[in-house]
Amino acid sequence: MTIAILALQGAFVEHEQMLNSLGVETFLIRKTEDWQRHKDGLVIPGGESTAMLKIMKDELLLEPIREAIANGLPVFGTCAGMILLANSVENEERERLATMDIFVRRNAYGRQLGSFYTVAPVKGIGDDVPMTFIRAPYIISVGNGVEVLATVDGNIVAARQNHQLVCSFHPELNTDTRFHQYFVEMVKGK
Ligand code: GLN
């Protein structure tokens, strides 16, 4: 199994290390040439969604990535990655991948106090999953086909729609590999 990691900006190295530690091969996507390589899944990391989106457009990656996800490529978006996958984002008209039926609030915890750590149960994964939030978004509401996997203080922080998995936090920044393992199982089950 080979998983591609979008490496335009943000926390991609940690995803690479975590997937490699699970015995999964990875490669980084920076240009359209990289995108041509065979992949069984895609990770879109956290970072700054506006910056990532701009580079995606400049590198002509937005359309091919959108098309591949629409055609069933399994994808895992964390934090900014979740924003890029959202059908709609509060107070934002910007173009994005928009493949997943979720309504997202950016910087939902405020800009200054936006970073915190907690643990919470995640459906299909288990209890006490470590969650590091960094100027994180959360999901305000989900469409019919979307399964809510975790909430913190009543807000949705992880969800799945068929082959698309998202979370508000950064599972790659902790040593608990269960979230990535869940994605790997998703890719296998495809
Ligand atoms: N605040 C960032 C954004 O809106 C997301 C933060 C993150 O990915 N850690 O794009």
Side-chain angles (χ1 to χ4, degrees), residues 119-158:
V119 296
V122 178
K123 198 173 169 187
I125 293 182
D127 288 332
D128 295 331
V129 175
M131 301 181 177
T132 299
F133 292 83
I134 304 172
R135 295 186 47 220
Y138 62 60
I139 300 173
I140 299 171
S141 61
V142 301
N144 278 339
V146 180
E147 186 183 15
V148 172
L149 299 181
T151 58
V152 169
D153 298 331
N155 301 311
I156 303 167
V157 297

Side-chain angles (χ1 to χ4, degrees), residues 17-168:
Q17 289 167 347
M18 192 159 263
L19 286 167
N20 293 161
S21 82
L22 294 173
V24 174
E25 271 178 48
T26 55
F27 68 93
L28 302 178
I29 307 274
R30 294 201 164 94
K31 306 261 173 212
T32 41
E33 298 86 81
D34 306 324
W35 184 250
Q36 308 310 323
R37 290 179 59 181
H38 169 81
K39 59 222 160 278
D40 302 298
L42 170 69
V43 171
I44 306 181
E48 189 54 42
S49 56
T50 48
M52 228 183 279
L53 196 61
K54 184 179 182 312
I55 308 172
M56 265 165 104
K57 281 187 183 171
D58 291 350
E59 297 297 335
L60 303 178
L61 282 164
L62 188 67
E63 283 307 324
I65 293 178
R66 181 190 285 145
E67 201 179 298
I69 297 170
N71 287 330
L73 181 73
V75 63
F76 177 21
T78 57
C79 206
M82 173 169 110
I83 296 168
L84 295 179
L85 289 166
N87 254 345
S88 53
V89 176
E90 189 180 47
N91 300 325
E92 258 193 27
E93 290 308 314
R94 213 172 266 123
E95 194 193 0
R96 64 189 87 77
L97 292 165
T99 49
M100 188 164 173
D101 199 4
I102 53 175
F103 179 40
V104 166
R105 175 172 292 157
R106 278 184 74 194
N107 299 312
Y109 298 92
R111 284 190 169 251
Q112 297 307 318
L113 297 170
S115 302
F116 62 99
Y117 173 84
T118 191
V119 296
V122 178
K123 198 173 169 187
I125 293 182
D127 288 332
D128 295 331
V129 175
M131 301 181 177
T132 299
F133 292 83
I134 304 172
R135 295 186 47 220
Y138 62 60
I139 300 173
I140 299 171
S141 61
V142 301
N144 278 339
V146 180
E147 186 183 15
V148 172
L149 299 181
T151 58
V152 169
D153 298 331
N155 301 311
I156 303 167
V157 297
R160 174 177 177 176
Q161 181 174 17
N162 303 319
H163 61 293
Q164 302 186 73
L165 176 69
V166 291
C167 62
S168 301

